[in-house]
């Protein structure tokens, strides 16, 4: 017989929300340390469960019918529409089937030269002693790359600014609705009703942006809507131009336009194309840029790792630019990226909502419960990683990833909804790292505070300031 979640130990309800909003990553880490494999949490009357057993995590991520994307991600439909990241059910399955061929490994490999070429163009603007925000640099670089692979053209500054502005506003809006920056609650963190009021306001803001409620207190909502309008203007113009030209092309947009449903012969509408393109731009640009930003920070703090990386690059490349043919030989470079994604996963947690009453680990899970699988928590779990806080790329020697239980290391998610662009992102990160590290060492500006900003992705809140040093 299933047991009731109420029998499990959990944080005190009147402290959990306050602590979570102050430091979500620290809060979840404490929950794992002090409670069990299933940690029930009640926020604003809603039930959440943090899962720390890899078998439970795998069970939830593999069953896309019983466990669907939770509310926190569904509210992004204003930005991403009904793309692969947010859609569900038969529609998601159809879109995944139509989209899968464009991410065949041979297709992905053809973009390797684009990634290296754009990185070299960026390096032409770098010089000894220049101070840069490496997060800004990586964001700009990966945006240029993903726009080139989608549209097969060098985007204008105006087009690039529209896309980056929309993504920035989405991150800002998403973060602000989670922080609950309400003066009443800020002055009295023990006032439970105040926190509930804040939560209600946050839900209201979410509904407003989705067009499901009246817009009030709307500065964030207005900026978000305006940013999405600019994004739509840019993407729809490119789709229309392709339709009028009659040439679909071999880029990602062209391939999306050409795929046909084998059941009825239909192709994607302009709306579907727009939604998938917006999803590709977010997933294909934001996550890789953040991963590389954390890589540079970690390398700057661990010069011995940087020396081993430089040694491999000299041995394999000997000063020439990398190609996809070099990837199998760049084993240590791969491990550096893999270890950075362990410590600073591009996405810190995955949430799913139970569509009906069910059972996990012998406990009854009511319908509508939100289940949380945290990469941040699992990737730093001492049960599976020796010295889990240490940056140690060598730990990935001898196929550690294959030896770990499934549900322990999952930077790209898992199950049928694992990130479709996983191979693209992995190749991009390694090629960019290899291209830059041959020429420059990035030295951290001293005494700066590098603050984590867990939102849709894990960003450095105020960037990462570095001085460029020729190698």
């Amino acid at each position: 017989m299933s047991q009731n979640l109420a029998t499990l130990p959990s944080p005190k309800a009147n402290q959990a929300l306050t602590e979570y909003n102050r430091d979500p990553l620290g809060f979840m880490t404490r929950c794992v340390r002090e409670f069990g494999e299933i940690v029930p949490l009640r926020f604003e009357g809603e039930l959440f469960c943090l899962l720390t057993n890899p078998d439970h995590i795998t069970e939830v991520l593999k069953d896309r019918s019983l466990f669907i994307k939770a509310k926190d991600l569904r509210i992004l439909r204003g930005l991403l529409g009904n793309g692969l990241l947010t859609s569900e059910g038969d529609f998601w399955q159809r879109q995944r089937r139509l989209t899968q061929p464009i991410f065949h490994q041979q297709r992905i490999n053809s973009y390797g030269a684009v990634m290296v070429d754009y990185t070299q163009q960026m390096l032409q603007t770098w010089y000894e002693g220049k101070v840069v925000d490496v997060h800004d640099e990586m964001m700009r670089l990966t945006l240029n790359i993903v726009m080139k692979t989608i549209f097969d053209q060098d985007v204008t500054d105006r087009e690039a600014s529209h896309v980056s502005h929309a993504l920035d506003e989405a991150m800002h809006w998403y973060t602000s609705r989670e922080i609950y920056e309400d003066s009443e609650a800020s002055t009295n963190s023990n006032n439970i009703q105040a926190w509930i009021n804040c939560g209600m306001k946050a839900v209201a803001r979410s509904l407003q942006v989705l067009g499901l409620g009246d817009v009030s207190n709307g500065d964030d909502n207005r900026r978000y809507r305006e940013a999405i309008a600019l994004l739509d203007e840019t993407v729809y113009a490119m789709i229309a131009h392709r339709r009028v030209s009659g040439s679909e092309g071999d880029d990602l947009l062209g391939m999306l336009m050409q795929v046909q449903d084998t059941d009825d012969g239909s192709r994607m509408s302009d709306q579907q194309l727009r939604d998938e393109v917006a999803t590709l731009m977010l997933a294909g640009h934001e996550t890789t840029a953040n991963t590389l930003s954390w890589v540079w920070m970690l390398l700057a703090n661990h010069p011995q790792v940087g020396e081993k990386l430089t040694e491999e690059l000299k041995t394999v490349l000997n000063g020439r630019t990398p190609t996809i043919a070099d990837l199998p030989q760049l084993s240590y470079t791969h491990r550096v990226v893999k270890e950075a994604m362990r410590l600073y996963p591009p996405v810190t947690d995955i949430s799913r909502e139970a569509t009906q009453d069910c059972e996990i680990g012998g406990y009854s899970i009511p319908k509508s419960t939100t289940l949380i699988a945290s990469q941040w928590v699992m990737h730093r779990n001492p049960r599976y990683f020796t010295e889990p806080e240490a940056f140690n790329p060598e730990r990935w020697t001898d196929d550690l990833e294959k030896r770990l239980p499934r549900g322990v290391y999952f930077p790209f998610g898992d199950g049928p909804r694992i990130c479709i662009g996983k191979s693209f992102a992995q190749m991009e990160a390694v090629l960019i790292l290899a291209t830059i590290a041959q020429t420059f060492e990035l030295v951290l500006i001293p005494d700066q505070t590098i603050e984590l900003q867990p939102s849709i992705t894990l960003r450095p809140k105020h960037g990462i300031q570095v001085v460029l040093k020729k190698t």
Side-chain angles (χ1 to χ4, degrees):
M1 181 181 236
S2 299
Q3 300 183 65
N4 194 304
L5 288 173
T7 64
L8 289 170
S10 62
K12 293 181 180 179
N14 63 342
Q15 296 177 358
L17 184 57
T18 304
E19 186 177 345
Y20 176 83
N21 280 285
R22 184 172 59 244
D23 180 12
L25 301 180
F27 172 75
M28 288 192 291
T29 301
R30 182 176 76 83
C31 284
V32 173
R33 186 173 62 246
E34 298 182 7
F35 305 106
E37 294 182 338
I38 301 176
V39 185
L41 305 164
R42 281 204 175 270
F43 292 153
E44 303 151 17
E46 295 190 24
L47 180 60
F48 297 76
C49 284
L50 175 62
L51 306 177
T52 64
N53 182 312
D55 292 338
H56 299 164
I57 291 172
T58 301
E59 179 183 349
V60 168
L61 295 183
K62 77 178 182 181
D63 193 335
R64 66 177 183 84
S65 298
L66 182 56
F67 305 105
I68 63 172
K69 292 293 181 78
K71 298 182 183 72
D72 64 338
L73 191 59
R74 297 204 301 268
I75 64 170
L76 286 177
R77 284 177 179 159
L79 173 70
L80 303 179
N82 211 22
L84 281 177
L85 195 63
T86 51
S87 58
E88 293 288 353
D90 292 341
F91 183 84
W92 172 86
Q93 189 170 33
R94 174 183 182 273
Q95 289 299 100
R96 180 83 180 203
R97 186 177 69 249
L98 291 177
T99 307
Q100 189 69 53
I102 76 171
F103 284 97
H104 187 278
Q105 191 61 52
Q106 289 184 332
R107 294 275 194 182
I108 295 301
N109 288 347
S110 67
Y111 297 122
V114 172
M115 297 167 180
V116 174
D117 288 347
Y118 273 79
T119 305
Q120 289 180 308
Q121 290 178 35
M122 181 194 71
L123 291 179
Q124 292 175 7
T125 70
W126 286 17
Y127 52 84
E128 176 82 18
K130 184 178 182 180
V131 177
V132 300
D133 179 343
V134 74
H135 181 245
D136 282 349
E137 295 288 302
M138 295 301 99
M139 291 286 280
R140 191 176 303 111
L141 171 61
T142 57
L143 177 60
N144 287 337
I145 290 171
V146 78
M147 294 292 277
K148 177 68 173 178
T149 57
I150 292 174
F151 301 111
D152 193 25
Q153 66 183 58
D154 296 319
V155 297
T156 65
D157 290 341
R158 180 172 178 270
E159 291 166 338
S161 68
H162 287 178
V163 174
S164 61
H165 178 60
L167 299 180
D168 285 344
E169 284 298 329
M171 295 294 169
H172 171 76
W173 175 79
Y174 190 89
T175 303
S176 66
R177 57 169 285 280
E178 288 194 325
I179 292 176
Y180 304 155
E181 292 178 335
D182 183 276
S183 58
E184 181 182 10
S186 298
T187 56
N188 185 2
S189 60
N190 293 321
N191 186 334
I192 298 175
Q193 187 57 49
W195 282 110
I196 292 174
N197 291 341
C198 291
M200 294 301 289
K201 291 174 184 176
V203 171
R205 286 197 293 271
S206 303
L207 295 175
Q208 289 161 8
V209 172
L210 287 171
L212 301 176
D214 295 331
V215 176
S216 58
N217 190 25
D219 284 347
D220 286 346
N221 296 334
R222 176 183 51 77
R223 287 195 301 269
Y224 186 31
R225 286 178 181 272
E226 289 173 352
I228 292 172
L230 289 175
L231 175 68
D232 287 350
E233 175 188 320
T234 301
V235 174
Y236 277 122
M238 291 182 171
I239 294 172
H241 175 75
R242 196 68 61 89
R243 296 277 196 210
V244 171
S245 71
S247 174
E248 289 167 333
D250 294 325
D251 53 22
L252 293 180
L253 174 60
M255 285 185 276
L256 286 172
M257 295 176 74
Q258 293 172 51
V259 292
Q260 288 182 283
D261 192 320
T262 54
D263 294 333
D264 59 15
S266 63
R267 297 189 179 190
M268 293 190 197
S269 65
D270 285 2
Q271 176 72 57
Q272 290 169 317
L273 289 170
R274 177 265 176 220
D275 293 347
E276 298 304 347
V277 164
T279 301
L280 289 175
M281 286 190 295
L282 172 66
H285 136 70
E286 174 83 23
T287 54
T288 305
N290 289 335
T291 294
L292 286 165
S293 299
W294 300 122
V295 164
W296 295 120
M297 182 196 73
L298 289 164
L299 288 174
N301 284 325
H302 300 82
Q304 74 281 6
V305 175
E307 290 171 4
K308 291 180 181 178
L309 174 64
T310 301
E311 182 180 344
E312 175 176 88
L313 296 177
K314 286 180 179 178
T315 301
V316 176
L317 302 176
N318 194 26
R320 63 177 173 80
T321 55
T323 68
I324 60 166
D326 298 309
L327 292 176
Q329 285 73 50
L330 295 173
S331 57
Y332 193 74
T333 312
H334 279 279
R335 290 174 196 146
V336 169
V337 173
K338 192 182 293 286
E339 178 72 345
M341 287 194 294
R342 182 186 71 82
L343 284 169
Y344 297 94
V347 177
T348 59
D349 58 81
I350 299 175
S351 57
R352 294 288 189 267
E353 181 181 321
T355 58
Q356 61 189 56
D357 293 345
C358 58
E359 179 183 305
I360 294 178
Y363 288 88
S364 298
I365 305 296
K367 178 182 178 181
S368 299
T369 300
T370 298
L371 301 155
I372 303 170
S374 171
Q375 291 99 321
W376 178 271
V377 165
M378 297 303 294
H379 290 189
R380 292 169 177 253
N381 193 322
R383 182 181 300 178
Y384 307 106
F385 298 101
T386 304
E387 297 183 2
E389 302 295 323
F391 178 55
N392 178 22
E394 280 85 355
R395 76 170 76 243
W396 296 100
T397 307
D398 300 327
D399 288 327
L400 172 64
E401 187 170 359
K402 292 180 180 178
R403 291 186 281 112
L404 289 170
R406 190 171 179 179
V408 170
Y409 181 75
F410 51 108
F412 294 97
D414 200 359
R417 301 200 67 149
I418 192 170
C419 175
I420 197 171
K422 176 181 177 180
S423 296
F424 183 103
Q426 289 176 318
M427 179 177 73
E428 182 180 29
V430 171
L431 288 175
I432 291 174
L433 174 57
T435 303
I436 296 174
Q438 285 193 107
T439 309
F440 285 97
E441 176 186 354
L442 280 61
V443 180
L444 289 175
I445 295 289
D447 301 324
Q448 66 176 305
T449 300
I450 300 175
E451 184 178 346
L452 303 179
Q453 184 181 39
S455 179
I456 305 170
T457 61
L458 182 62
R459 283 184 168 191
K461 187 172 185 178
H462 307 293
I464 301 174
Q465 301 294 323
V466 300
V467 179
L468 305 177
K469 180 181 177 182
K470 278 274 192 178
T471 56

